[in-house]
C-alpha cells in the first residue's frame, strides 16, 4: 500500500504544479475532483470519467453513511471495491450536508445531532464518528469534521466556531492515529484503506486574523495536508480571493492545499494563482443537468430559444464527445424533451471543460506562462455570449 505523498514539481509565481500519490494512484495537481455524491457522478459512468481524464473523485460521507451505510460498504471491502472506481477517492466529513440538508440539527461540543433527511432517524456525527465512517469507506483522503458557519457571521461567532473546529480537529486526528495503531480501543471500525490520509481544515470566515490563526494552529496539530473551508458560501469573489491569498502562505509548501467547494472556472484560475492545488465543486455537473454549459466563450444556456436551429457544436473549441457529435439544436431538443441523455451529454461537456482547463493550467505552469494563460483566459470569458 503506497502511503500518501506530495511533491511540487514546478512553480510559476505562486502557482504550483505537483503530483500527489495515494494508495489508488497518482493525481497531477492542480486538480479538479468531480463530485460523486452517492459514489457516482450524476449522469455519467466511471468509464466516461476515465476517458475524460478524471484522476480523483469526491464522494459524500453524509449520503453514504445514511444510505447504503458505511458498514455495508466496509463489508464489500470499501468504496473502491463497492463502486468499481479504482482511482483515488476523497470523502468529505459529512459536516457540510448535516448543516445544509439534515432536519432538526443542533450543534454542541460533542458534535452535530441531526435527523436524516431520508427517514427522520436520529444521528450524532462527532469528529470521531466522521473519522470512523471514512475509515470504513476507505477513501484515499479523509476530511476532519469542521463546523460550517453560515455567511455572514460576526467576528465573535466566527472566532467561537474556529476554536470549536480546532478542538474537533484535535479529536479527529487522535481518532485517526488510534485507528492506524491497531492497539487502539475496540470495537474499532474496519479500516478498509490503511494508506488513507487525513486533511485538516482552515476556517475563520472572512476575518484575515482568524484565518491566519486557524491555519497556524491547524498546522500545529499536524495533518497530511490542509484545506481551506468556509468559503464559496455567498461572500463576494474578491473577498474569497483575499482569504485564499492570506491563507496559503500560512500552509506548508510541501503539502497539498485544497480549496473546498469552489467554484467557477474563473475562480479556479484565480485560486491557482494564489497557490491552491485541489478543487471540488458541483457547478459543472449540477449546471449541466439544468442546461447550462461552460464554454471557452462563456456560459451557454441550451434551453434558450435561439439555439432551436443552431447547428454549431456547443463549444467550437472543445474536443469532447458531446461537441464532436451534437449540435446545439439537438442538445436543446433533448433538454426540452426531458430526455435523460440531456444530462449525460451536458455533463460530459462541462466536466471536460473543467478538467481540460486544469490540464491547460498545469501545462502553463510547467512552461512558466501561467500569467499569460490567466490573462487570456479571463479575456476570452469576458467576450461572453450574453446569454443569461
Ligand atoms: Zn465539449
Amino acid at each position: 500500500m503506497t502511503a500518501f505523498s506530495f511533491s511540487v514539481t514546478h512553480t510559476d509565481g505562486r502557482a504550483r504544479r505537483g503530483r500527489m500519490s495515494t494508495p489508488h494512484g497518482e493525481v497531477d495537481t492542480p486538480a479538479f475532483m468531480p463530485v460523486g455524491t452517492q459514489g457516482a457522478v450524476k449522469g455519467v459512468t466511471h468509464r466516461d470519467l476515465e476517458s475524460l481524464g478524471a484522476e480523483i473523485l469526491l464522494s459524500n460521507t453524509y449520503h453514504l453513511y445514511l444510505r447504503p451505510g458505511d458498514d455495508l460498504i466496509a463489508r464489500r471491502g470499501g468504496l473502491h471495491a463497492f463502486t468499481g472506481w479504482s482511482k483515488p477517492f476523497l470523502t468529505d466529513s459529512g459536516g457540510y450536508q448535516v448543516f445544509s440538508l439534515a432536519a432538526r440539527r443542533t450543534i454542541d461540543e460533542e458534535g452535530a445531532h441531526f435527523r436524516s433527511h431520508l427517514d427522520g432517524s436520529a444521528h450524532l456525527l462527532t469528529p470521531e464518528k466522521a473519522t470512523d465512517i471514512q475509515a470504513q469507506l476507505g477513501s484515499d483522503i479523509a476530511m476532519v469534521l469542521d463546523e460550517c458557519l453560515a455567511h455572514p457571521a460576526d467576528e465573535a461567532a466566527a472566532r467561537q466556531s474556529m476554536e470549536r473546529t480546532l478542538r474537533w480537529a484535535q479529536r479527529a486526528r487522535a481518532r485517526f492515529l488510534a485507528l492506524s495503531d491497531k492497539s487502539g480501543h475496540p470495537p474499532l471500525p474496519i479500516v478498509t484503506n490503511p494508506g488513507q490520509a487525513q486533511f485538516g481544515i482552515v476556517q475563520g470566515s472572512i476575518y484575515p486574523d482568524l484565518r491566519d490563526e486557524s491555519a497556524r494552529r491547524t498546522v500545529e496539530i499536524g495533518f497530511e495536508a490542509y484545506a481551506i473551508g468556509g468559503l464559496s458560501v455567498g461572500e463576494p469573489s474578491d473577498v474569497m480571493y483575499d482569504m485564499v491569498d492570506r491563507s496559503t502562505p500560512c500552509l506548508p509548501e510541501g503539502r497539498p492545499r485544497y480549496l473546498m467547494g469552489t467554484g467557477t472556472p474563473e475562480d479556479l484560475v484565480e485560486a491557482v494563482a494564489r497557490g491552491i492545488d485541489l478543487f471540488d465543486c458541483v457547478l459543472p455537473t449540477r449546471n449541466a443537468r439544468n442546461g447550462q454549459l461552460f464554454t471557452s466563450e462563456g456560459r451557454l444556456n441550451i434551453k434558450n430559444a435561439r439555439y432551436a436551429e443552431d447547428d454549431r457544436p456547443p463549444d467550437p473549441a472543445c474536443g469532447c464527445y458531446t461537441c464532436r457529435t451534437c449540435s446545439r439544436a439537438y442538445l436543446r431538443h433533448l433538454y426540452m424533451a426531458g430526455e435523460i441523455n440531456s444530462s449525460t451529454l451536458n455533463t460530459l461537456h462541462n466536466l471536460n471543460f473543467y478538467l481540460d482547463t486544469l490540464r491547460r493550467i498545469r501545462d502553463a505552469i510547467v512552461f512558466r506562462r501561467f500569467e499569460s494563460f490567466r490573462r487570456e483566459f479571463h479575456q476570452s470569458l469576458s467576450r461572453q455570449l450574453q446569454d443569461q
Side-chain angles (χ1 to χ4, degrees):
M1 199 61 92
T2 314
F4 180 87
S5 69
F6 177 70
S7 61
V8 175
T9 57
H10 303 79
T11 58
D12 186 5
R14 289 171 64 190
R16 297 135 55 95
R17 166 82 167 83
R19 178 158 293 175
M20 186 168 78
S21 295
T22 80
H24 291 87
E26 306 218 309
V27 178
D28 289 312
T29 63
F32 178 78
M33 300 183 278
V35 177
T37 298
Q38 308 281 1
V41 175
K42 290 188 199 307
V44 294
T45 64
H46 297 339
R47 185 182 58 189
D48 295 325
L49 293 164
E50 289 202 26
S51 71
L52 290 168
E55 292 186 314
I56 177 169
L57 300 184
L58 178 145
S59 209
N60 291 122
T61 289
Y62 171 87
H63 291 283
L64 296 172
Y65 160 71
L66 290 179
R67 182 180 59 195
D70 51 306
D71 290 334
L72 182 147
I73 292 174
R75 288 194 296 272
R76 313 266 89 64
L79 206 45
H80 293 89
F82 180 57
T83 64
W85 173 257
S86 58
K87 295 183 178 194
F89 265 118
L90 180 147
T91 46
D92 63 6
S93 70
Y96 184 80
Q97 274 77 29
V98 168
F99 286 85
S100 58
L101 283 181
R104 291 205 283 160
R105 60 185 158 70
T106 56
I107 314 300
D108 60 23
E109 191 60 24
E110 191 182 10
H113 306 257
F114 68 95
R115 287 190 179 271
S116 160
H117 73 292
L118 297 173
D119 61 7
S121 54
H123 300 268
L124 169 61
L125 187 66
T126 63
E128 293 82 6
K129 179 74 178 170
T131 305
D132 289 357
I133 297 169
Q134 294 176 86
Q136 296 219 108
L137 295 176
S139 52
D140 299 280
I141 298 170
M143 302 302 300
V144 298
L145 181 67
D146 58 337
E147 189 175 56
C148 305
L149 193 61
H151 176 82
D154 67 36
E155 188 162 355
R159 167 163 286 282
Q160 274 191 350
S161 175
M162 180 204 83
E163 296 279 359
R164 173 170 282 164
T165 290
L166 284 164
R167 291 190 297 273
W168 283 5
Q170 271 167 335
R171 286 167 53 189
R173 190 60 179 175
R175 181 65 179 179
F176 179 82
L177 295 175
L179 292 181
S180 50
D181 168 15
K182 294 285 186 188
S183 62
H185 317 283
L188 290 173
I190 305 168
V191 175
T192 57
N193 181 0
Q196 187 182 60
Q198 186 186 45
F199 286 13
I201 304 177
V202 175
Q203 286 284 355
S205 186
I206 57 165
Y207 303 100
D209 292 345
L210 294 185
R211 287 269 162 197
D212 286 359
E213 185 178 341
S214 173
R216 183 174 52 75
R217 292 171 60 189
T218 307
V219 171
E220 276 171 13
I221 297 169
F223 292 93
E224 279 71 39
Y226 302 90
I228 299 175
L231 295 175
S232 287
V233 291
E235 76 284 2
S237 49
D238 56 334
V239 172
M240 177 182 71
Y241 299 158
D242 279 350
M243 293 302 116
V244 173
D245 207 39
R246 184 90 185 201
S247 300
T248 49
C250 306
L251 299 174
E253 288 278 334
R255 305 293 172 104
R257 302 160 179 164
Y258 163 30
L259 180 58
M260 301 177 78
T262 300
T264 65
E266 297 90 325
D267 290 341
L268 268 49
V269 172
E270 287 309 297
V272 167
R274 291 162 173 81
I276 296 292
D277 308 298
L278 271 178
F279 300 93
D280 77 283
C281 192
V282 296
L283 271 186
T285 43
R286 179 180 293 164
N287 290 18
R289 299 194 301 280
N290 294 327
Q292 187 178 68
L293 300 171
F294 291 93
T295 80
S296 57
E297 299 171 326
R299 298 180 194 192
L300 185 156
N301 289 312
I302 203 67
K303 65 191 113 179
N304 198 313
R306 79 167 80 160
Y307 301 123
E309 298 195 51
D310 189 334
D311 298 323
R312 290 174 295 171
D315 185 350
C318 178
C320 82
Y321 174 78
T322 304
C323 291
R324 281 186 281 116
T325 56
C326 302
S327 66
R328 295 175 184 182
Y330 179 54
L331 290 175
R332 177 174 189 273
H333 156 69
L334 292 178
Y335 181 87
M336 300 308 284
E339 163 56 46
I340 199 165
N341 269 261
S342 168
S343 290
T344 298
L345 291 164
N346 292 349
T347 301
L348 285 176
H349 167 77
N350 276 357
L351 283 179
N352 187 72
F353 183 77
Y354 267 65
L355 294 167
D356 190 58
T357 297
L358 272 294
R359 261 191 296 274
R360 291 191 297 138
I361 287 173
R362 292 194 297 269
D363 287 348
I365 296 169
V366 169
F367 294 106
R368 300 187 67 85
R369 50 177 181 74
F370 178 73
E371 273 313 309
S372 59
F373 168 86
R374 180 185 182 186
R375 201 167 43 241
E376 285 160 20
F377 189 83
H378 290 306
Q379 277 166 1
S380 157
L381 289 191
S382 67
R383 290 195 297 268
Q384 288 194 12
L385 309 156
Q386 290 306 318
D387 201 29
Q388 302 308 307

